[in-house]
Amino acid sequence: MADSVVSSFWGPVTSTIELCEENFTHSSYIAEFYNTVSNIPCILLAFIGLINALRQRFEKRFSVLHISNMILSIGSMIFHATLQNVLQQSDETPMVWELLLYLYVLYSPDWHYRSTMPTFLFIYGAAFAIVHAFVRFGIGFKVHYVGLCLLCIPRMYKYYIQTKDVAAKRLAKLFLATISLGSLCWLFDRYFCKKLSRWYINPQGHAWWHVLMGFNSYFANTFLMFCRAQQLGWEPRVVHLFGFFPYVKIQKPKKQE
């Protein structure tokens, strides 16, 4: 939203999108305060996942996946803090890169020509970044992003029905619940902003979208780590830190350790 109490350190807003939060109300350095700080839990969750992946020596794809979650959240923080068009790419481009990584993790185990998939996805991601740096896609970006999300669904469903472990299935259900609730928050913030802005307290729907998608990525990554560990015969178990925070613990055969 364009209303501002504090002058902007970054100059006039040049991004193609603004969310339902008043700009620069808390600091001249942060345009959308809640949309910026709401990325912090996402970074912490991705960092926890990364530590687990490294500590137990999961395949490098999962370390890269967690790192991509962190990069996306940092890019989102930079964009929402500045609302500059050139930095909008630091939010949107990593969103596409992250989904390309998910497509690789989901489909690569059964891909017969394994070298072709990472090569194609790398070229696709690089080409998108270059084009997106010069072209403002607008609604086209959203359609493209949703299309990539839809490509992930069949494989996620296949893993879900093949998994017999109750705790692992619960991770998949949490993944579905967080993306559904997060999407509702995003939609309400986007399309009911005029009504929400008249409320005494702004519910900050987009900030909740960030938080919920941080948990969504963590649940998705943890579920995929479990499924991949099963494929490799690593005897995975879903255990809970402090009795409630889930992560995957594996027991590799001695010859693989």
Side-chain angles (χ1 to χ4, degrees):
M1 293 172 62
D3 295 342
S4 177
V5 176
V6 182
S7 61
S8 166
F9 173 83
W10 309 104
V13 170
T14 59
S15 65
T16 59
I17 57 172
E18 286 188 76
L19 287 308
C20 196
E21 181 179 355
E22 292 185 6
N23 299 342
F24 301 103
T25 57
H26 292 76
S27 168
S28 61
Y29 297 98
I30 302 177
E32 297 175 340
F33 179 80
Y34 293 104
N35 289 342
T36 300
V37 300
S38 58
N39 283 285
I40 295 175
C42 310
I43 297 172
L44 294 176
L45 287 166
F47 182 72
I48 292 170
L50 175 62
I51 293 300
N52 186 41
L54 292 173
R55 184 174 62 84
Q56 299 195 81
R57 297 182 180 178
F58 274 87
E59 293 171 298
K60 291 181 181 178
R61 66 186 68 184
F62 292 106
S63 297
V64 174
L65 191 57
H66 290 298
I67 291 171
S68 77
N69 296 152
M70 295 174 69
I71 291 173
L72 172 58
S73 297
I74 292 170
S76 180
M77 288 185 74
I78 294 170
F79 166 61
H80 287 291
T82 63
L83 290 182
Q84 297 298 298
N85 179 258
V86 67
L87 296 173
Q88 187 173 337
Q89 317 310 316
S90 69
D91 181 25
E92 294 180 345
T93 298
M95 290 173 67
V96 172
W97 287 350
E98 182 184 63
L99 280 177
L100 295 178
L101 280 169
Y102 277 115
L103 288 172
Y104 174 73
V105 171
L106 285 164
Y107 286 96
S108 62
D110 294 332
W111 195 263
H112 296 295
Y113 306 100
R114 294 191 178 183
S115 62
T116 60
M117 176 175 279
T119 302
F120 170 77
L121 293 176
F122 177 82
I123 294 173
Y124 188 97
F128 175 83
I130 293 170
V131 174
H132 194 29
F134 297 98
V135 180
R136 297 189 179 189
F137 288 110
I139 189 65
F141 172 81
K142 297 180 180 64
V143 172
H144 177 238
Y145 183 77
V146 171
L148 291 175
C149 290
L150 292 175
L151 289 176
C152 296
I153 292 176
R155 195 66 173 188
M156 285 291 285
Y157 180 70
K158 179 182 178 181
Y159 281 164
Y160 177 79
I161 61 176
Q162 288 180 342
T163 301
K164 305 302 179 184
D165 187 272
V166 174
K169 281 183 173 290
R170 189 178 299 117
L171 288 172
K173 292 175 181 177
L174 287 170
F175 160 79
L176 182 61
T178 49
I179 196 171
S180 299
L181 185 56
S183 297
L184 285 175
C185 290
W186 186 91
L187 289 169
F188 272 96
D189 184 85
R190 182 68 174 167
Y191 294 105
F192 296 96
C193 181
K194 289 184 178 180
K195 292 184 178 180
L196 295 175
S197 61
R198 290 196 293 266
W199 290 13
Y200 182 72
I201 297 177
N202 187 331
Q204 304 297 343
H206 196 81
W208 282 110
W209 152 262
H210 286 162
V211 174
L212 288 166
M213 290 307 293
F215 279 99
N216 175 261
S217 296
Y218 180 82
F219 293 140
N221 296 356
T222 306
F223 176 69
L224 292 174
M225 289 167 74
F226 179 93
C227 294
R228 182 57 176 163
Q230 266 194 332
Q231 293 172 346
L232 296 172
W234 289 353
E235 300 180 15
R237 293 182 297 119
V238 177
V239 295
H240 295 82
L241 183 66
F242 305 124
F244 68 92
F245 192 79
Y247 68 97
V248 176
K249 190 171 184 179
I250 58 175
Q251 181 62 53
K252 293 183 180 180
K254 289 186 177 180
K255 63 180 180 180
Q256 294 187 27
E257 292 180 347

